[in-house]
């Protein structure tokens, strides 16, 4: 939430709960105080305060006092600010990523709660309490007795008994505190009521806020200590310490039960992701794979590797990456490569538009950036074939920019951690996760953070319901894991059925040559070479008649095995024939064969890239494509 028209002054005195005297531009101004609490530790003489100028000229006071500086903190003391900040936070997916409805000030029986929220699966009531009282990093509520607060807590218990999920949410109107605890010294009845409510299932949460003179935003979870007789050893975000009867003690003394996992999972929304970087980077430093592009992360190498890794496994990419770097070691070489050289280097990786876009972007860099890769996220996005993920990867890994790189692996990790039922295929969800991670990415190690998230998704938080949770550094923060529902996330969407195409592949050979043709310059496998084919499944007689009509006399025709190749939205089902002819030279020109080329099979190694979709049939020419050819070269 934001204020308008903020001015700075110095606090002088507070004659009563509603007004204060402030020194403003050399004059004493009477201002309205937007908090009727005592706030004695905040409003001390000489304190720097921030005032919002009213746009109502008829008001008796022209300013509202909304914030004050206390030491090195800016503390918001506007009693209306917590509800406004929470409403904004809830609507953008804070606390419940799958929020379907948020209604302020909603009645339940004779009660009225601050918020009623519906997620896809739950109905929720939330009561918000603003907290401004802080001493040595410990924040407490209330700062004065509050019978109304006790009443609200009891009413939440009643709502819980009627099947609602209910929360007390303490909004700490400052940043960087140690933990929250009820103020037992000021109001023991409230502390007792809160403990009983927690035992009855009311969920007690605390979040601090990022506060500036003109804004307040919900930031990250703060440990909740319901009994201060023992302080949590680490006071980590989301840790709740509450009283529990010690069953081993006949006297029923009060002990301490830490429920950090249970409450961290409830807190892991937008800002709760702040708990991720530290354990993740420790794990990454110990477990990171040694990969060629990681060991020398120049912008060019990072870029090429990220394009290759789209839709392709790391192990498959390694040999391609090394050969590509050897053949085209820099942007200038990539920009000037011939199309056939480029496609040949890419042969077997698939998704050939990736490498075409790679070259177009290299030519953009040569023309618009004097041959140097742009170093900002925004400029990188202007390059052909570079989206937000690739731009984020290059900017963070090669240039140290604190921007996220969100791919399918990262989306899967975040979806499970937050038990987020939104479909990760929705661009809006990806955009929301990018914004959330921007808030928590460590500015000193952004590239390592992004690579660690990708590494976790690739090696531990695996797809298809088989994550290795025992090896995960974030297991204790993962809502899906704690609920035993890893396999349910990300939520599966019903996929559109693939378009099925039936084809008959013709492997036509004479003593020395074979027939191929170039695919169209646009569309699937654009510009690659393929065997001649017919639509549908054809008999040997139909194939023989077709070739005769194109001036080719068949000596022998032999059925080959059926094959299948799956693209993203299309599936080829193929029937093949090996066809021996006397001589492959153009005979009577035919409509179907006028674009055929007659080449020696060995030429496919260097000049005529044939996609792996035809891998089942290239073996009949002693051709090795892509990975098979590279393995053969390595053996030599």
């Amino acid at each position: 939430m934001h204020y308008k028209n903020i001015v700075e002054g110095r606090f002088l005195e507070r004659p009563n709960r509603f007004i204060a005297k402030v020194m403003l531009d050399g004059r004493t101004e009477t201002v309205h105080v937007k908090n009727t609490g005592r706030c004695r530790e905040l409003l001390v003489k000489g304190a720097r305060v921030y005032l919002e100028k009213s746009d109502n000229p008829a008001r008796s006071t022209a300013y509202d006092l909304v914030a004050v500086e206390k030491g090195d903190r800016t503390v918001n003391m506007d009693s209306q600010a917590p509800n406004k900040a929470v409403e904004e936070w809830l609507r953008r997916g804070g606390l419940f990523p799958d929020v379907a409805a948020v209604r302020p000030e909603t009645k339940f029986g004779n009660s009225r709660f601050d918020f009623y929220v519906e997620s896809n699966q739950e109905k929720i009531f939330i009561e918000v309490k603003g907290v401004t009282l802080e001493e040595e990093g410990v924040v407490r509520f209330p700062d004065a007795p509050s019978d109304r607060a006790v009443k609200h807590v009891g009413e939440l218990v009643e709502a819980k008994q009627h099947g609602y999920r209910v929360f007390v949410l303490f909004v700490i109107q400052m940043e960087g505190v140690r933990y929250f605890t009820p103020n037992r010294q000021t109001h023991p009845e409230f502390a007792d009521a809160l403990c009983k409510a927690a035992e009855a299932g009311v969920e007690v949460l605390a979040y601090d806020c990022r506060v500036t003179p003109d804004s307040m935003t919900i930031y990250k979870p703060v440990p909740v200590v319901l009994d201060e007789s023992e302080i949590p050893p680490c006071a980590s975000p989301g840790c709740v310490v509450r009283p529990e009867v010690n069953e081993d003690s006949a006297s029923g003394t009060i002990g301490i039960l830490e429920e950090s996992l249970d409450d961290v999972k409830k807190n892991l929304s937008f800002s709760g992701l702040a708990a991720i970087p530290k354990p993740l980077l420790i794990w990454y430093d110990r477990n990171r794979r040694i990969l060629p592009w990681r060991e020398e992360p120049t912008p060019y190498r990072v870029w090429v590797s990220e394009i290759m890794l789209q839709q392709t496994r790391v192990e498959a990419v390694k040999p391609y990456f090394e050969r590509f770097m050897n053949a085209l070691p820099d942007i200038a070489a990539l920009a000037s490569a011939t199309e056939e050289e480029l496609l040949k280097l890419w042969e077997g990786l698939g998704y050939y538009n990736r490498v075409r876009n790679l070259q177009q972007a290299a030519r953009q860099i040569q023309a618009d950036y004097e041959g140097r890769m742009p170093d900002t996220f925004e400029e990188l996005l202007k390059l052909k074939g570079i989206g937000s993920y690739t731009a984020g990867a290059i900017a963070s890994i090669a240039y140290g920019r604190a921007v996220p790189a969100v791919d399918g692996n990262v989306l899967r990790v975040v979806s499970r951690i937050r038990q987020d039922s939104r479909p990760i295929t929705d661009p809006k969800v990806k955009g929301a996760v990018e914004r959330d991670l921007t808030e928590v990415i460590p500015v000193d190690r952004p590239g390592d953070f992004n690579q660690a998230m990708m590494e976790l998704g690739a090696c531990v938080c695996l797809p298809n319901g088989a994550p290795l949770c025992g090896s995960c550094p974030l297991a204790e923060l993962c809502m899906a894991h704690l609920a035993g529902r890893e396999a349910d996330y990300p939520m599966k969407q019903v996929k559109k059925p693939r378009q099925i195409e039936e084809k008959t592949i013709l492997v036509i050979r004479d003593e020395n040559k074979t027939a191929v043709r170039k695919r169209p310059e646009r569309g699937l496998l654009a510009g690659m070479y393929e065997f001649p084919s017919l639509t549908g499944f054809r008999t040997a007689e139909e194939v023989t008649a077709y070739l005769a009509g194109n001036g080719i006399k068949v000596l022998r025709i032999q059925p080959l095995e059926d094959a299948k190749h799956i693209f993203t939205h299309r599936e080829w089902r193929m029937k093949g024939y090996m066809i021996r002819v006397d001589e492959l030279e153009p005979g009577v020109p035919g409509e179907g064969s006028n674009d055929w080329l007659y080449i020696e099979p060995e030429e496919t190694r260097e000049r005529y890239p044939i996609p792996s979709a035809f891998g089942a049939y290239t073996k009949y020419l002693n051709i090795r494509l892509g990975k098979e050819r590279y393995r053969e070269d390595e053996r030599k």
Side-chain angles (χ1 to χ4, degrees):
M1 58 151 295
H2 287 79
Y3 298 100
K4 299 181 294 182
N5 303 324
I6 290 293
V7 298
E8 180 184 317
R10 292 284 178 173
F11 177 78
L12 297 176
E13 62 174 332
R14 187 178 186 183
N16 60 49
R17 291 189 302 161
F18 304 104
I19 63 171
K21 302 288 187 179
V22 173
M23 183 63 68
L24 182 63
D25 294 333
R27 70 182 189 276
T28 300
E29 184 82 23
T30 299
V31 303
H32 175 237
V33 179
K34 297 192 74 173
N35 189 319
T36 57
R38 294 179 180 178
C39 302
R40 290 173 180 169
E41 78 290 350
L42 296 175
L43 296 179
V44 297
K45 189 170 183 177
R48 181 180 284 110
V49 292
Y50 298 98
L51 314 168
E52 182 182 37
K53 184 174 175 58
S54 171
D55 54 8
N56 179 4
R59 264 184 44 167
S60 59
T61 53
Y63 297 91
D64 293 308
L65 195 160
V66 296
V68 58
E69 287 193 2
K70 181 188 177 188
D72 58 357
R73 287 191 179 93
T74 301
V75 180
N76 181 290
M77 52 177 294
D78 176 358
S79 59
Q80 297 174 14
N83 282 42
K84 293 178 181 177
V86 167
E87 182 172 0
E88 291 177 358
W89 180 60
L90 290 172
R91 291 189 186 282
R92 71 169 180 251
L95 199 59
F96 305 103
D98 57 347
V99 64
V102 176
R103 293 207 299 268
E105 292 293 324
T106 302
K107 289 190 66 176
F108 168 75
N110 295 322
S111 308
R112 183 179 292 274
F113 297 123
D114 288 323
F115 291 99
Y116 170 75
V117 178
E118 287 185 4
S119 69
N120 288 344
Q121 299 176 343
E122 297 176 299
K123 296 181 178 181
I124 302 135
F125 282 114
I126 301 173
E127 185 66 15
V128 175
K129 303 295 181 188
V131 182
T132 61
L133 177 60
E134 177 269 336
E135 297 173 305
E136 297 182 351
V138 179
V139 286
R140 293 179 170 86
F141 178 91
D143 67 349
S146 174
D147 293 335
R148 184 169 176 266
V150 174
K151 177 176 178 287
H152 284 161
V153 171
E155 291 167 340
L156 285 171
V157 173
E158 184 180 349
K160 175 67 177 177
Q161 293 168 348
H162 280 77
Y164 291 89
R165 190 174 179 186
V166 292
F167 293 84
V168 181
L169 176 57
F170 292 96
V171 175
I172 298 149
Q173 293 172 246
M174 66 196 82
E175 185 180 349
V177 300
R178 291 169 54 206
Y179 62 88
F180 165 83
T181 190
N183 197 342
R184 186 169 292 278
Q185 183 175 4
T186 298
H187 199 187
E189 292 81 6
F190 175 77
D192 290 339
L194 193 63
C195 290
K196 290 177 182 177
E199 292 171 359
V202 174
E203 299 175 45
V204 183
L205 304 181
Y207 275 76
D208 71 1
C209 294
R210 278 188 165 167
V211 176
T212 69
D214 66 351
S215 71
M216 188 176 89
T217 306
I218 305 295
Y219 182 37
K220 62 183 177 183
V222 167
V224 173
V225 179
L226 295 187
D227 188 326
E228 238 184 334
S229 62
E230 184 175 334
I231 305 302
C234 60
S236 59
C239 177
V240 170
V241 180
R242 64 185 63 189
E244 180 187 60
V245 175
N246 186 340
E247 296 180 357
D248 295 330
S249 171
S251 63
T253 56
I254 298 297
I256 296 296
L257 172 65
E258 292 190 36
E259 291 192 43
S260 58
L261 302 188
D262 191 43
D263 287 273
V264 162
K265 74 175 185 175
K266 295 163 188 169
N267 286 332
L268 264 169
S269 55
F270 148 69
S271 53
L273 293 175
I276 288 176
K278 185 174 180 179
L280 179 68
L281 288 171
I282 291 172
W283 170 83
Y284 179 69
D285 289 340
R286 294 171 180 169
N287 296 278
R288 64 190 292 273
R289 289 175 291 179
I290 304 299
L291 301 173
W293 45 89
R294 275 186 186 161
E295 304 315 301
E296 189 184 344
T298 66
Y300 178 64
R301 290 170 65 86
V302 172
W303 176 35
V304 171
S305 69
E306 289 298 340
I307 299 299
M308 284 187 170
L309 287 164
Q310 293 170 12
Q311 310 288 337
T312 311
R313 294 180 302 104
V314 166
E315 291 306 313
V317 164
K318 284 181 181 179
Y320 283 94
F321 179 79
E322 296 288 7
R323 286 174 177 80
F324 198 97
M325 287 295 112
N326 290 336
L328 306 174
D330 53 35
I331 292 171
L334 171 59
S336 60
T338 66
E339 182 182 54
E340 288 187 350
E341 179 185 11
L342 205 61
L343 293 177
K344 202 64 197 171
L345 286 167
W346 206 265
E347 182 186 72
L349 275 176
Y351 302 95
Y352 291 90
N353 274 342
R354 292 183 296 172
V355 73
R356 288 193 176 86
N357 290 337
L358 195 71
Q359 185 176 61
Q360 287 187 47
R363 291 170 177 170
Q364 275 182 267
I365 294 169
Q366 290 292 95
D368 300 338
Y369 299 93
E370 298 180 345
R372 184 180 182 276
M373 176 79 78
D375 62 359
T376 67
F377 178 81
E378 293 75 17
E379 290 298 312
L380 287 163
L381 280 176
K382 296 177 182 179
L383 299 178
K384 182 75 172 178
I386 291 187
S388 63
Y389 163 73
T390 306
I394 298 168
S396 63
I397 298 169
Y399 292 118
R401 306 286 188 188
V403 291
V406 177
D407 67 352
N409 283 321
V410 175
L411 287 167
R412 182 170 61 255
V413 169
V414 172
S415 175
R416 285 175 173 160
I417 285 175
R418 301 200 296 191
Q419 211 169 347
D420 188 343
S421 60
R422 295 176 297 177
I424 63 173
T425 53
D426 185 344
K428 292 181 180 178
V429 174
K430 182 174 184 285
V433 171
E434 287 173 339
R435 290 190 295 272
D436 292 351
L437 289 177
T438 299
E439 295 291 327
V440 304
I441 189 169
V443 295
D444 57 334
R445 298 185 65 185
D448 286 344
F449 175 80
N450 284 332
Q451 291 183 96
M453 288 290 283
M454 299 177 223
E455 190 96 330
L456 191 69
C459 300
V460 176
C461 195
L462 304 174
N464 304 320
L468 307 177
C469 297
S471 303
C472 181
L474 306 180
E476 294 186 351
L477 302 175
C478 180
M479 294 169 66
H481 173 62
L482 295 174
R485 296 184 60 195
E486 301 95 333
D488 295 338
Y489 296 89
M491 291 291 190
K492 305 295 190 297
Q493 280 191 308
V494 178
K495 293 183 178 179
K496 293 181 180 179
R498 292 191 189 96
Q499 179 182 345
I500 305 296
E501 294 183 11
E502 296 178 343
K503 303 169 74 71
T504 298
I505 307 301
L506 310 180
V507 184
I508 307 170
R509 290 207 60 178
D510 66 7
E511 186 70 23
N512 301 306
K513 295 181 180 179
T514 190
V516 296
R517 67 181 175 194
K518 190 173 186 179
R519 290 183 62 82
E521 294 298 332
R522 301 175 65 87
L524 186 66
L525 302 177
M528 302 291 287
Y529 291 83
E530 65 178 356
F531 296 114
S533 64
L534 300 172
T535 58
F537 290 157
R538 305 299 184 96
T539 64
E541 290 75 16
E542 289 174 314
V543 170
T544 300
Y546 166 76
L547 293 175
N550 284 275
I552 299 174
K553 183 177 180 180
V554 174
L555 297 179
R556 185 168 67 253
I557 184 167
Q558 173 188 350
L560 303 176
E561 70 264 36
D562 293 346
K564 179 171 69 175
H565 190 82
I566 296 174
F567 302 93
T568 305
H569 303 296
R570 191 176 308 187
E571 180 178 324
W572 283 357
R573 295 179 182 175
M574 296 172 281
K575 181 182 183 68
Y577 290 97
M578 168 66 82
I579 301 154
R580 297 295 301 206
V581 300
D582 185 34
E583 188 174 13
L584 268 179
E585 293 293 344
V588 178
E591 185 178 336
S593 61
N594 57 10
D595 60 347
W596 293 5
L597 300 173
Y598 304 110
I599 65 169
E600 295 183 4
E602 280 296 309
E603 291 183 273
T604 62
R605 282 182 172 270
E606 306 300 333
R607 293 187 55 195
Y608 300 101
I610 297 179
S612 57
F614 300 100
Y617 303 113
T618 56
K619 62 187 178 184
Y620 295 101
L621 303 179
N622 296 321
I623 298 173
R624 295 292 181 266
L625 301 179
K627 292 187 288 291
E628 291 183 0
R629 178 164 67 89
Y630 291 152
R631 292 193 191 104
E632 181 181 278
D633 291 345
E634 287 167 355
R635 285 195 294 270
K636 293 178 180 178

